[in-house]
Structure formats: C-alpha cells, structure tokens
Amino acid sequence: MLNPWRLSLLSRLDTLGTVRAVAKAANLSASSVSQQLAVLEAETRTHLLERTGRRVRLTPAGRMLARRARAILDHMDTVEAELRGLGEEPAGLVRLGAFQSAIHTIAVPAVNRLARSHPRLQIELLELEPHVSMPALRVGDADVIITTTDFVEQPLGPDIDLVPLATDPIVLVVPPGHPAAGRGPADLAAYASEPWAFDIPQSYMANLATRLCREAGFEPRVIARFSNYMMTLQHVEAGLSIALLPGLAVDRRYRVATRELATPVDRSITAAIRRGSAPRAAVDLVLEAIRSHPELPL
C-alpha cells in the first residue's frame, strides 16, 4: 500500500524542486528525505526519480504520482474529518494562510466569528506572504489562503480554484507633517530623492514598489527594510522615510498620511483552494466567513 507520508514528500518535491527544500519544510535531513523517496520507489516498483548532475528530478511517472498524491491526501483528510463529525456540525482542522495586512483585517475577524458559531472547528492561522502561500497551498501545508493574483512570480495553474474577495489600492505613505501630506494624487517621480522604507527583498511589495519607482524614472534610495508593516508605519511616522503600502496595511493607530497614486495601482485580493480536493464542509465555512467580512474594499 502507498504510504501517505512518503506521498507527501513526493508532492513537496514536485512543488519545491529540491530535496534540500523538502527536507527544510518537513524538518528532516536531506538524507532522510532521499531514503524515504527510495522506499517509495520500491513500494511502487516504479522509477520515480532521476539524477541530473547533483540534483534530483522527477521522472514522468514521478510527476504523475506526485500530482495524484495531493488529491489522495486531500481525500484522506476529508474522510477523516467526515468520520469525526458524522451527523454533527462541521469539525476538524483547517489551515488558513494569509498575508500580513490581511491577517488583522480579514482573517482574525473571520476566525473570531467561526469560534463563536462553530466551536468544534479548529483553525490554524498562518502568516504567509504571496511568494510562499501558493507553494504552501500546493503541497498541503495550507487548506485555504488569502493571497493576491498580481504576484507574477507565483503563476496560477489549473490546480488552483480562486474566490475573488476585494481590490486594495496601493498608496503612498508619508509622515503627517510631510510637504506631500494632504494633497491630491501623488506622482512618484516627485519623490525620487526621498528616503524609502521597503519590504524584504523578493517579497510582493518589495518587487512592486521597486517596479513602480523605476517606471517613474528613478532608483529608490532604500534606507530600511522591514518584514512587518507595523514597523514600516512606525518608521514613516517618525519622519525617517516614506513608503508604498497596500491600503489594508495602513493601521489607523499610526499618525501617517496617505495619498493615492496619480497612476492608480490596485492589487486583487483572492482566496484560493486546491482544485480537485474533495469537498470539505469545514473549508467551505472558512471561505464563507472570509467572503462575508463586512469591511472588504470591494
């Protein structure tokens, strides 16, 4: 019989690309992952892996099994949840991943409502930025994610179902006493000499902010990088920098001013689940709670 844990490792290899990345995600050594995949080959009596130099890649049979494995594992999760909640209200674990600014504005309120209405439902909330949430969904580390379809570095595919949630404008954030505060839409070219606070390299907002500044004709002078929007807002509030942030990320507790961009830029906020996974009442409840949030900027 196929071992679910080994199938999960094979599925991760298909998504993450290297044994080392699979080992890190699964908290194992690379040699342990290789050994378990070798056992899976023996169990299936099929050549699943091939070496190219120092790397390992999936054979056509390996890719087929890896992609079927995700559906098999999803179905097993569904059956287990249905058995636990047979004849009762939806129960079980749902792993909800969301990017930082959606955590406190969308995810936490949804989880709070579900905790009151469905106490047997267990929701594990994960902070996952768009560049990591889609791989997490694909390998089964998350059941539902709140992400953006505008992050081109993580292309969509036929294995993903999308549920549109909202649109969120990108805004210029400046200190309250800044000369730009209180005016109309901002032309970024006017801020070429300003000090900027950016997100960490290769993140969605770091890539977007860099692209927008370059399209405006300048290379931004980045003096700070934060993985937390609250720290960015604190830095701007202190008058040390300006920033480009999603509207949802601008917490009203911070004394900053925001301006729309002269050339508007919006991001599409979307929930996503794996296509083809068996229906789960618990996942459906989480999706509905996210969609019914009263303050989404539709």
Side-chain angles (χ1 to χ4, degrees), residues 100 127 129 198-200 225-232:
Q100 185 184 148
E127 181 182 338
E129 292 301 309
F198 270 29
D199 206 329
I200 59 175
R225 287 188 180 272
F226 303 109
S227 62
N228 186 299
Y229 290 148
M230 303 301 106
M231 296 176 67
T232 301

Side-chain angles (χ1 to χ4, degrees), residues 147-164:
T147 187
T148 174
T149 54
D150 305 314
F151 192 74
V152 296
E153 288 83 349
Q154 289 294 336
L156 302 173
D159 57 330
I160 301 297
D161 274 329
L162 300 177
V163 180

